[in-house]
Every structure is written in C-alpha cells, then in structure tokens.
Amino acid sequence: MTTMPHWLSKQAFLQPEYPAVDFPDGSCITFAELEERCKRKAAALFFHGVKEKDHIAILSSNRVSFIESIFALSYLGARAVLLNTRLTIRELDYQIHDGDVKAIIYEAAQEEKVEALTAGDVSPLPFHTLTGDYTMPEMKERIDLEDVFTLMYTSGTTGAPKAVLHTYGNHWHSAISSALNLGMERGDKWILNLPMFHVSGFSTLMKGVIYGMTIEHHARFDAQEVVESIKQRGATMVSGVSVMLEELVEVFDRDDIPGSFRCFLLGGGPATEKLLNRAASLGIPVFQTYGMTETTSQIATLAPADATRKLGSAGKALATASLHINAAEGEIGEILVAGPMVSGGYYKRDREEGLLFATGDMGYFDEEGFLYLAGRKKEMIISGGENIYPAEIENVLVQVPGVSGAAVTGMKDEKWGEVPAAFLTGKDIKRDEILQYCERHLARYKHPAYVYRVAELPRNASNKVLKYKLTEMVKAGECDEIE
C-alpha cells in the first residue's frame, strides 16, 4: 500500500502564501487559504451525512466551489462523480442511478435540472448550503494511491455510458508523466479554462496541487482573456482543442507572446497543417496529444519541433507509459496502452484481464515509432474535444415519429474537427421535430449537424450498416438534406 501526505495539505505546509488559484481580476487564493476553505466545506459535507467511500456527484461549471468540493470530498475519503452540465435530465438520471450516487453538489444554474431528477434517493446539496461553521471531523491527511478518487462517465457504443474509475495513483502518475514530458519551472502558471468535469480540465487542477503550481481559474474559454493572462499575468501553459487554438491565433500577434509562454497542450484530435503553421509563425508552441478518460488524460505527446514533420501524428508514449498496436509492424491495428495512469476499469463492469488496455482506437506506428490514429474502431466521433458515439444518437433518433431507421457517422468540419451527421429512413420526417426531440434527450454537442433522408441504409450481408458508404452517398448527391 502506497501512501503519501495529502497533496493540498502538503503544499499549504511547504508554501502557505504561494498562490494556488489566480483569477483574471488579479485576486488569488493561497495554498493555505485553499486548504482552509476545502476543510470547511468538508465539515459541511460531513454534517450533511457524507462519509468515506460515498459516491457524491458534482454538477457544476468551472467555479471555485467546484475546486473546494473536490478536495473536501478527498479529505473525507468520499468519491467524486463528475457530471457534465450539458447532459439532459434523462442522461443525468442514468448516470446518477448507475453510479450509486448518494448526494449531488451543484451550482445554482443547475437547480432546475436537479429538481427534475428522478433517480434514487439523492440528497441535493447546493453550493450555498455548504458554507458556515461546522464542527471539523477527522480529516484524511494521507492519500492512498490505490483508493478510488473520481468517477467520470464515458459513452459506450451501445449508448450506455460507463463510469471510469480513477484512483489517486492514476491522477498522480498522469501529472508526473506530464511533468517528465513538458518539464517544470518554478514560475509556471497553467490556465484552467477547460471544464473540470472532463478529465482534461480536471488533470490541470491535479497538476496544480501535485506540483505546487499556480493555476489561473477561468470560468470558460475566452481567447482575449487567455492572451491577457499570457501577456500581463505570467501564464505559461494552457490546454485546449483545435477550435480554441484557432480563436487564439486570431487575437495574437507575434510580438505579443512572451518567451515565458511555453506550451499549448492540444487534445481532442490532430490539428490541421494550416493551423499548426499559423501557430508556429506566431511563436505558439503546440504540443499535440493522444489520450482519453481511461488514460487519465494524455498518454502520448508530439513536441512542437515535430508538429509539421510528423503531421497528423500523436507522438510517442509518455515516459511511464507504453503504446502497442495489435497488428503486424507498419499495419493498422487497435491501439493498446499500459501505464500507471491507465484506469483499472469501470464501475460495476468487468474489465478484461491483462496489462494492456484496448482503447478501441485504430492506429499505426511509422518507421520512427510515432503514433498515427487511423480512426475509431467503434466509430466514435470527436467534435470540439467531446467524444460522441453514434449508437447513442441513433437510439434517440429511431424514437422520433416517422423515423424507421437511423445511422450516424462523423463528417469533417473545419471548426469542430468532426460533427455528427444523421441518415434517416421513413416518412414525413421534419428537421425541427428531430432537433426538438434531440433537445430533450441529448446534450447539445451530440445533435446532428446534418440530417439526410435516404431510401434505405446501405448494409452488408450481416445486415450491418456500411457507414463509410453514407459519406460517399452525400458526395454523389444520392441523398437529400432534410430541411
């Protein structure tokens, strides 16, 4: 059993007055202040019945109360179930029930959704009720790296999302591997503007307390605000996806970028050559990555020096990880991964035994060992950094009156990388009815950007839809877009 001092408590002891969280308005929260605030919130949660190993959901956008709640739960030994604020009530109900959630902590903006939930006997705990003075319970001042810390849902091809179990050790090793790859400097400040309920945003928060590094808290991504943070407030690193990088290059001038800015960590799929060249001309160092919820964020990275030389590559495995291809050398196969940042499995679901985790992604290595993605084995669509599985959308579309059959595939999009496109069979299908139905049952980013009517879906002898033929039908003008 491997234990260590609680990350936040340790930083509060080592550097109590050092900024843990900065804000664009110039204010900050020191490590000592953050520790105190988190322990007060832990006391409030304990008063409301939260105990060790309870599954407690958090439904919130990026807020300081989110950060406080995460570490408050860790001081009690409870597990945080991170919920996407963009999900519908139906989707939230499923995850809360599946995750055996006892209570849900939430921001005021989510109150209407929380009140409409029907899953189980879940205690509502709005942020405003978790303030005040409560008797301090015994806090967990040591972290056991084998203990589960977070549960994050990722969609399955059957449309049933699965909760990825992350231990403290997964988060620790993810942060350490990133540091070995990118290096660490005393003055580093990482902008946190990705959603903390996603593994990419959450991993930035973990890096802050593990490294003893300042993070700058942004409620959301704003290109101009990022530029000001880099130019005026000493931000040195930021994570994002291609659409964010595109907006950033539009507001940057080459002379604006100080030499201290050393990393744009790019996830959510490879960037175009045009975008990479534009970023390079402005002096923006782009590190492209490959990773997923199951690998606790990045597991492979491509350095800026290789960005255009190895266009489309995700780079090589981080120092403590390894990548394998389930195919002969040079051929495309499924990507298999291993390393201490790889999750041990899913909540209430069995994972196949073995050291290697099968990602479901297809790829290959070039002669120098650089990884290239060749597609998703199970047809996952990556749109603006969000993972979308067609089956989940299809299961909703076939419920729309008039629709007799549905198939969804990804189509290239300059802004988002990919967007869902739906191909439907049936009679009297109306686009507004389809989108209204999706509005009630699917998060907005899962809505089809294109809706086509087809006479029949192309199938093989096993009656499986040949999705590659759908895009060919569009190019050949063999299907009409539903107005």
Side-chain angles (χ1 to χ4, degrees):
M1 183 179 296
T2 304
T3 65
M4 60 179 61
H6 192 287
W7 303 326
L8 178 54
S9 294
K10 190 64 168 181
Q11 296 303 335
F13 172 73
L14 291 174
Q15 45 182 6
E17 301 306 315
Y18 195 78
V21 185
D22 272 356
F23 300 92
D25 65 3
S27 62
C28 79
I29 301 173
T30 67
F31 277 108
E33 290 168 341
L34 184 59
E35 179 195 33
E36 175 66 17
R37 293 167 70 147
C38 294
K39 287 185 173 179
R40 286 187 178 278
K41 187 148 289 185
L45 290 169
F46 184 78
F47 174 83
H48 286 283
V50 176
K51 60 184 185 299
E52 186 175 358
K53 294 187 178 179
D54 281 347
H55 287 195
I56 309 300
I58 300 177
L59 182 63
S60 173
S61 57
N62 283 10
R63 299 172 62 92
V64 173
S65 293
F66 188 118
I67 298 173
E68 294 170 351
S69 298
I70 284 294
F71 294 115
L73 292 174
S74 72
Y75 278 121
L76 297 176
R79 299 171 176 178
V81 182
L82 306 185
L83 301 176
N84 190 328
T85 58
R86 300 170 70 182
L87 298 180
T88 65
I89 294 168
R90 169 181 166 271
E91 292 165 319
L92 290 170
D93 262 330
Y94 170 81
Q95 294 186 11
I96 287 169
H97 179 268
D98 180 75
D100 294 323
V101 169
K102 177 179 178 180
I104 180 168
I105 304 169
Y106 62 95
E107 63 180 348
Q110 304 300 321
E111 184 172 7
E112 186 175 335
K113 280 186 179 179
V114 173
E115 290 178 346
L117 295 174
T118 61
D121 184 18
V122 180
S123 300
L125 297 174
F127 284 142
H128 70 82
T129 66
L130 302 177
T131 58
D133 292 324
Y134 295 89
T135 301
M136 287 284 184
E138 182 178 355
M139 302 287 178
K140 285 191 168 293
E141 292 291 354
R142 294 193 67 81
I143 284 172
D144 186 336
L145 295 183
E146 297 179 2
D147 284 346
V148 173
F149 183 17
T150 57
L151 288 80
M152 301 183 194
Y153 274 85
T154 185
S155 293
T157 55
T158 62
K162 299 176 290 185
V164 178
L165 297 170
H166 290 131
T167 63
Y168 286 93
N170 292 146
H171 290 296
W172 168 266
H173 288 290
S174 176
I176 296 304
S177 295
S178 180
L180 291 174
N181 180 51
L182 301 175
M184 289 176 57
E185 296 181 8
R186 177 56 180 167
D188 275 341
K189 180 194 290 189
W190 206 307
I191 298 173
L192 173 54
N193 53 24
L194 292 173
M196 285 186 281
F197 52 70
H198 274 321
V199 70
S200 49
F202 193 85
S203 66
T204 300
L205 178 62
M206 292 299 100
K207 290 181 180 77
V209 294
I210 291 172
Y211 301 167
M213 173 185 66
T214 303
I215 61 170
E216 183 166 294
H217 177 277
H218 292 199
R220 64 191 62 82
F221 173 75
D222 180 275
Q224 189 60 54
E225 199 169 69
V226 169
V227 170
E228 292 175 3
S229 294
I230 294 169
K231 290 170 57 179
Q232 301 173 16
R233 295 188 292 274
T236 61
M237 312 177 91
V238 63
S239 301
V241 295
S242 290
V243 66
M244 297 163 67
L245 181 58
E246 287 175 353
E247 292 184 32
L248 196 60
V249 298
E250 291 300 321
V251 296
F252 253 138
D253 291 322
R254 182 173 181 83
D255 294 338
D256 285 341
I257 304 179
S260 57
F261 179 60
R262 62 190 194 85
C263 175
F264 186 104
L265 197 65
L266 180 69
T272 64
E273 183 175 15
K274 179 180 178 181
L275 178 57
L276 291 172
N277 285 334
R278 181 86 185 278
S281 70
L282 293 170
I284 301 175
V286 178
F287 291 78
Q288 297 177 83
T289 68
Y290 168 69
M292 61 193 70
T293 306
E294 288 88 342
T295 61
T296 324
S297 196
Q298 61 171 320
I299 195 167
T301 306
L302 182 72
D306 294 315
T308 53
R309 185 176 75 90
K310 296 292 183 179
L311 187 66
S313 173
K316 297 183 178 181
L318 300 182
T320 62
S322 59
L323 299 173
H324 307 269
I325 300 294
N326 188 18
E329 185 176 353
E331 294 184 1
I332 293 174
E334 185 170 7
I335 301 170
L336 310 175
V337 298
M341 72 289 290
V342 178
S343 167
Y346 306 97
Y347 184 59
K348 296 195 299 190
R349 290 167 176 82
D350 294 329
R351 176 183 151 179
E352 293 183 9
E353 295 294 329
L355 294 176
L356 299 177
F357 171 72
T359 66
D361 291 329
M362 305 298 285
Y364 64 94
F365 294 125
D366 71 4
E367 68 283 355
E368 295 181 58
F370 285 83
L371 174 68
Y372 288 79
L373 300 181
R376 271 70 68 189
K377 181 180 180 180
K378 297 181 180 179
E379 304 170 342
M380 184 178 74
I381 300 166
I382 299 180
S383 182
E386 296 277 11
N387 294 344
I388 303 171
Y389 286 86
E392 189 176 8
I393 304 174
E394 292 162 357
N395 291 342
V396 169
L397 291 175
V398 294
Q399 305 301 323
V400 178
V403 175
S404 59
V408 173
T409 190
M411 294 189 69
K412 297 294 183 183
D413 184 84
E414 288 187 3
K415 182 176 183 181
W416 301 110
E418 287 181 300
V419 292
F423 297 79
L424 308 177
T425 59
K427 295 181 179 180
D428 299 321
I429 304 172
K430 296 180 175 59
R431 183 183 179 88
D432 59 345
E433 291 180 1
I434 293 166
L435 296 181
Q436 286 172 15
Y437 199 86
C438 290
E439 192 72 36
R440 295 194 297 271
H441 297 285
L442 291 169
R444 182 66 186 84
Y445 64 87
K446 300 177 186 177
H447 294 190
Y450 303 96
V451 183
Y452 297 97
R453 180 186 290 106
V454 294
E456 61 181 7
L457 296 172
R459 299 177 183 272
N460 63 13
S462 300
N463 205 38
K464 292 183 179 180
V465 176
L466 300 174
K467 294 194 174 181
Y468 71 90
K469 287 194 173 182
L470 295 172
T471 52
E472 293 179 0
M473 291 167 64
V474 173
K475 293 176 182 177
E478 297 173 2
C479 49
D480 299 319
E481 190 168 2
I482 298 174
E483 297 298 326

